[in-house]
Amino acid sequence: MRYEGPVRIGELSKATGIPVPTIKYYLREGLLPAGERTHANQVSYTAEHAQRLRLIRAMVQVGELPIGTVRTMLAEVDSAERPTDSMLGRLSGALVASRSPGAHADEQELAETAALLQRHGYTRTDSVHVRMIADVLAMLHRLGRPELVGIVDHYADLALQIAETDLATLTAIEDRDNLAESMIIGSVLGEALFAALRRAAHATVSARVFPEDKVDTSSAS
Amino acid sequence: MRYEGPVRIGELSKATGIPVPTIKYYLREGLLPAGERTHANQVSYTAEHAQRLRLIRAMVQVGELPIGTVRTMLAEVDSAERPTDSMLGRLSGALVASRSPGAHADEQELAETAALLQRHGYTRTDSVHVRMIADVLAMLHRLGRPELVGIVDHYADLALQIAETDLATLTAIEDRDNLAESMIIGSVLGEALFAALRRAAHATVSARVFPEDKVDTSSAS
DNA sequence: CGCTATGGATAGCTGCGCTATCGATATAGT
DNA sequence: ACTATATCGATAGCGCAGCTATCCATAGCG
């Protein structure tokens, strides 16, 4: 194979499909670590930079995360030499922080939500997550749909199963170095993946439940 | 009970906490139907307008949907006289449309995804949903994590269970008039609710899976 | 030696979700 | 009745986020 000189920003751009100005922007924002400077005015990047760029794009485009959240999560995996329990906790905490609250549950609703989660086997009833869940439940009440709150019981059990699956997949990964990155990918893409599957499942199940409807194979673009 | 005059925009604002200019904006954007005009220059609103406003806020703040998607979904429930299977399909189609693709799966990946879904019991392998799922899987490959693709099998089964729960809850609702609205609420808030539960579950399960500070790093490079 | 690409800095642009202002009415309070 | 406040509808503007474009001195490349 031919010798390749230092990888510069243009090749990074070609390899990832991301425009050069955008890569510069990510560098400025601290999402992409600076490359190794070969001369006073030249920098060379590595394959890891390309990988990091793909990860950023996945988080931004699929996960729809704001830049600040992406930075927080990436800083997390960069700072820790070794992925731990608390790291996954901090990652999902950053994820939750990127979602706007909307309705604010009061203290009682918060306590009830925490109790509900504990009943379902949740041990880490971290404030951020409980708050988010309680806020959604409070919103259901505000919308005059208290009967929909009941779904949380079934959801809670299924979410635990999902998490079991995710963790089993993560621990099966040999490459411990990239485990932290896999945590991000699993969290962010997994969320998008499950949401899409849930929507598809709604279509399938509702076709069974609403029999009066003749099936309209909507292949609308 | 005291007689109350026509409800005007100010009272709507007080009842919902939404600023008057924002309500005017939603009117302009066609999210909120126009009120009944009492005089050439006066309009009166109803309690349904307040409810609609709360729904809009839930979709925008909790669901983080763009205004255009909110309009599409609300137009759907307004146009149909009776909620049907295809209506839920169109609603979730609009939801999916609000998410950016990112990576584009090719034809083969699309077909494989459709086959996978059918294997799991999905009958309505609508193009939009399959496309979205295939795109996420393609992104996993691009990120060099093909082993994470395996989670889709378990996710697919659990998503069907979620959908069963959702539809059971929906069909248990007495009030058929507001069923369409409940579909939106269930779709949008349900998605946010489950995502939050999943993150909370990650914290709980990872506490079990990662023995406290005892991760073996002996083979770290 | 000229051409393109690069690095680094700074400024600008686009789209979205609101806000603010305005003038002509309408209603409310006294 | 009369003044103060609110409303309607239209139009313009603001603030933020995520890029994108421009500049210029320097580096590499043939």
Side-chain angles (χ1 to χ4, degrees), chain A residues 145-219:
Chain A
R145 295 294 194 289
E147 70 272 21
L148 294 185
V149 172
I151 63 176
V152 74
D153 282 301
H154 203 214
Y155 276 29
D157 292 336
L158 291 173
L160 273 180
Q161 290 186 47
I162 286 276
E164 301 276 4
T165 301
D166 291 344
L167 268 292
T169 305
L170 278 181
T171 52
I173 291 178
E174 305 288 326
D175 186 357
R176 312 303 291 183
D177 287 342
N178 293 331
L179 188 52
E181 194 178 298
S182 293
M183 282 182 177
I184 288 186
I185 296 171
S187 297
V188 176
L189 293 209
E191 192 162 312
L193 179 58
F194 189 83
L197 281 164
R198 177 174 177 267
R199 293 191 283 261
H202 276 158
T204 287
V205 176
S206 77
R208 282 210 314 274
V209 169
F210 289 85
E212 71 250 34
D213 211 39
K214 65 178 70 174
V215 174
D216 166 29
T217 49
S218 57
S219 54

Side-chain angles (χ1 to χ4, degrees), chain B residues 31 41-42 65 81 105 122 127 159 168 202 219:
Chain B
L31 307 191
N41 205 5
Q42 288 303 136
L65 303 183
E81 55 292 332
Y122 289 69
S127 57
H202 275 158
S219 60

Side-chain angles (χ1 to χ4, degrees), chain A residues 16 51 54-55 57-58 60-62 64 81-86 88-89 92 95-96 98-103 117 121-126 129-130 132-133 136-137 139-140 142-145 147-149 151-152 154-156 158-167 169-171 173 176-179 181-183 185-210 212-221, chain B residues 16 51 54-55 57-58 60-62 64 82-90 92 95-96 98-103 117 121-130 132-133 136-137 139-140 142-145 147-148 151-152 154-156 158-167 169-171 173 176 178-179 181-183 185-210 212-217 219-221:
Chain A
T16 59
Q51 172 68 6
R54 280 185 281 267
L55 179 58
R57 276 314 234 220
V60 168
Q61 294 185 343
V62 179
E64 299 191 306
E81 56 293 330
R82 158 172 74 94
T84 65
D85 157 35
S86 63
L88 187 59
S92 56
L95 251 185
V96 106
S98 75
R99 309 300 178 183
S100 56
L117 291 183
Y122 289 68
T123 54
R124 288 279 190 92
T125 49
D126 295 74
H129 300 121
V130 178
M132 181 75 191
I133 295 162
V136 175
L137 298 181
M139 182 68 93
L140 284 176
R142 274 218 219 157
L143 285 167
R145 295 294 194 289
E147 70 272 21
L148 294 185
V149 172
I151 63 176
V152 74
H154 203 214
Y155 276 29
L158 291 173
L160 273 180
Q161 290 186 47
I162 286 276
E164 301 276 4
T165 301
D166 291 344
L167 268 292
T169 305
L170 278 181
T171 52
I173 291 178
R176 312 303 291 183
D177 287 342
N178 293 331
L179 188 52
E181 194 178 298
S182 293
M183 282 182 177
I185 296 171
S187 297
V188 176
L189 293 209
E191 192 162 312
L193 179 58
F194 189 83
L197 281 164
R198 177 174 177 267
R199 293 191 283 261
H202 276 158
T204 287
V205 176
S206 77
R208 282 210 314 274
V209 169
F210 289 85
E212 71 250 34
D213 211 39
K214 65 178 70 174
V215 174
D216 166 29
T217 49
S218 57
S219 54
S221 60
Chain B
T16 59
Q51 172 67 6
R54 280 186 281 268
L55 180 58
R57 277 313 235 217
V60 168
Q61 294 186 343
V62 179
E64 298 190 307
R82 167 173 69 94
T84 65
D85 159 36
S86 64
M87 173 165 156
L88 187 58
R90 282 193 297 275
S92 55
L95 252 186
V96 112
S98 75
R99 310 299 178 183
S100 55
L117 290 183
Y122 289 69
T123 54
R124 287 278 191 91
T125 50
D126 296 75
S127 57
V128 277
H129 299 121
V130 178
M132 181 76 191
I133 295 162
V136 175
L137 298 181
M139 183 69 95
L140 283 176
R142 274 217 220 157
L143 285 167
R145 294 293 195 290
E147 69 272 22
L148 294 185
I151 63 175
V152 75
H154 203 214
Y155 276 29
L158 291 173
L160 272 179
Q161 290 185 47
I162 286 275
E164 300 276 4
T165 301
D166 291 343
L167 267 292
T169 305
L170 278 181
T171 53
I173 290 178
R176 311 303 291 181
N178 294 331
L179 188 52
E181 194 178 298
S182 293
M183 281 182 176
I185 295 171
S187 296
V188 176
L189 294 209
E191 192 163 312
L193 179 58
F194 189 82
L197 281 164
R198 177 175 177 268
R199 292 191 285 261
H202 275 158
T204 286
V205 175
S206 77
R208 281 210 314 273
V209 168
F210 285 87
E212 189 70 20
D213 284 9
K214 289 295 181 186
V215 175
D216 184 8
T217 54
S219 60
S221 68

